Amino acid sequence: QLQLVESGGGSVQPGGSLRLSCVNSQFSLDYYAIGWFRQAPGKEREGVSWISSEDGSTFYADSVKGRFTISRENTKNTAYLQMNSLKPEDTAVYYCAADLFGDGSKWSDINEYDYWGQGTQITVSD
């Protein structure tokens, strides 16, 4: 069982930055595409970003393009989500998820993912 652990959440003022980490300490993530999702109160979980396991290709939701950057370090079994210029509407619980051999064709579909982290809260407010 692959266990993903997110960290780096917290509270920040609008315009601030945070970096989330997603770590699996047990198995290699080399063959897993990684997706970041978020869920705000009363809303469905939505895809934020995705990164390939093969060539580092990425996808972003329109709402975060130019502000968020996804990356990964396979040697550390870790994926990251750098979030800049944060807005109050970015407030949500953020989850990372792993998709074995995922090709990104349905990257924002939660059903594509095999494993999920427990989530970390991001709050953006004055």
Side-chain angles (χ1 to χ4, degrees):
Q1 182 80 5
L2 197 70
Q3 292 184 327
L4 302 172
V5 179
E6 301 100 335
S7 62
S11 296
V12 64
Q13 292 184 332
S17 298
L18 286 172
R19 188 176 80 156
L20 303 182
S21 298
C22 172
V23 180
N24 171 54
S25 59
Q26 298 172 302
F27 302 104
S28 171
L29 291 177
D30 286 1
Y31 301 108
Y32 289 86
I34 301 296
W36 283 97
F37 289 76
R38 66 187 181 187
Q39 188 165 19
K43 295 187 176 182
E44 293 186 351
R45 193 169 298 188
E46 64 172 356
V48 174
S49 188
W50 176 94
I51 187 166
S52 168
S53 62
E54 296 184 9
D55 59 6
S57 58
T58 59
F59 293 115
Y60 294 93
D62 288 343
S63 58
V64 306
K65 280 181 182 177
R67 300 188 298 122
F68 290 12
T69 303
I70 192 171
S71 61
R72 63 191 296 160
E73 285 189 82
N74 286 351
T75 56
K76 295 183 178 181
N77 285 341
T78 303
Y80 305 97
L81 186 68
Q82 177 67 42
M83 304 184 294
N84 299 328
S85 302
L86 283 161
K87 304 175 181 180
E89 51 263 44
D90 294 318
T91 295
V93 177
Y94 283 70
Y95 301 88
C96 66
D99 179 12
L100 183 62
F101 301 127
D103 63 6
S105 59
K106 297 181 180 179
W107 73 270
S108 61
D109 184 346
I110 63 173
N111 297 308
E112 290 295 299
Y113 293 83
D114 304 293
Y115 302 101
W116 290 83
Q118 82 290 349
T120 185
Q121 175 71 45
I122 302 296
T123 302
V124 185
S125 66
D126 288 316

